[in-house]
Amino acid sequence: MFISFEGLDGCGKTTQAAMLAAALELEGRTVVRVREPGGTPIGERIRELLLDGDSVIGGAAEALLYAAARAQLVDQVILPALARGEVVVADRFIDSSLAYQGVARGLGLEQVLQANELATGGLMPDITLLLELPPELAAARRGDTPPDRIESESDGFHAAVAEGFAAAAARFPERIHVVDASGPPRAVLARVREAANL
Ligand code: TYD
């Protein structure tokens, strides 16, 4: 089973992915956790390029670099784990590209989907949990850590990303479950498990 978590920077995806993975492991499942961009040697190098504040990257190159990191992760990690019957829990996957590059950068959902078709060979998560938090709350949760190239974008950009996630949820209503990410992590986890029926 392939589960992805999506949402704005600061929405609590990483915490929820870790908590869900731990809960499934307690129940005897073998869980492989991945994060994007990254998770493979090439993917980590692409991550450095993408998040480096000194990089100047056009929208198309940005979308293709995320897709390249994803292609490597699908090939080297996700497909082999799924073939072994394991659960894959991903901290971001294709919907981040739809929201950030497709909508916030303005490339369009369909174009970004097409670029990703090559990267993933058509692999989609079975279930996606979209953690929803108002952009200003997500920004506050990001706290004092120095922002990376994407995090330092304007409030308007992050508002567009939130719209992008809503557009992805409308495009894939069966797969994407929107979960209220406010409140304590345990309460959010309960909502996640209920939404995903896990
Ligand atoms: P990361 O530090 O992993 O962010 P977070 O911990 O919030 O998930 O950095 C990933 C950044 O890359 C994040 O700002 C979102 C952005 N991103 C895209 O723009 N497109 C994508 O396809 C992916 C996977 C991430």
Side-chain angles (χ1 to χ4, degrees):
M1 183 186 305
F2 180 17
I3 304 164
S4 64
F5 281 90
E6 296 281 2
L8 293 174
D9 297 285
C11 72
K13 289 180 308 312
T14 308
T15 305
Q16 290 302 315
M19 288 174 78
L20 180 66
L24 294 176
E25 275 170 348
L26 269 181
E27 290 163 16
R29 307 293 302 261
T30 302
V31 181
V32 173
R33 282 189 58 201
V34 295
R35 68 150 186 197
E36 283 211 356
T40 64
I42 287 289
E44 291 296 330
R45 290 171 73 179
I46 296 175
R47 178 185 179 88
E48 283 171 25
L49 287 175
L50 280 165
L51 299 185
D52 179 353
D54 292 334
S55 295
V56 177
I57 309 179
E62 187 178 275
L64 292 168
L65 283 169
Y66 279 109
R70 182 164 302 133
Q72 201 71 5
L73 187 68
V74 165
D75 236 39
Q76 294 193 332
V77 181
I78 299 180
L79 287 179
L82 294 176
R84 292 191 299 267
E86 297 169 0
V87 179
V88 175
V89 175
D91 193 335
R92 298 190 183 281
F93 196 67
I94 190 165
D95 303 300
S96 282
S97 287
L98 297 180
Y100 285 81
Q101 284 69 52
V103 174
R105 296 278 191 233
L107 296 180
L109 290 191
E110 297 311 317
Q111 197 162 228
V112 172
L113 273 173
Q114 254 178 30
N116 273 272
E117 179 76 29
L118 174 65
T120 64
L123 176 74
M124 284 292 212
D126 298 301
I127 303 166
T128 298
L129 287 318
L130 171 56
L131 300 186
E132 204 171 54
L133 203 63
E136 54 285 5
L137 276 186
R141 277 199 195 171
R142 285 202 286 279
D144 300 330
T145 49
D148 61 41
R149 191 179 61 88
I150 303 266
E151 283 168 351
S152 35
E153 288 285 351
S154 65
D155 290 349
F157 178 86
H158 290 285
V161 172
E163 281 170 29
F165 277 123
R171 177 76 167 69
F172 297 104
E174 311 268 279
R175 173 175 61 82
I176 301 182
H177 302 262
V178 181
V179 175
D180 172 7
S182 62
R186 281 191 173 283
V188 181
L189 180 66
R191 286 179 216 134
V192 160
R193 297 198 73 169
E194 195 186 333
N197 208 3
L198 280 167

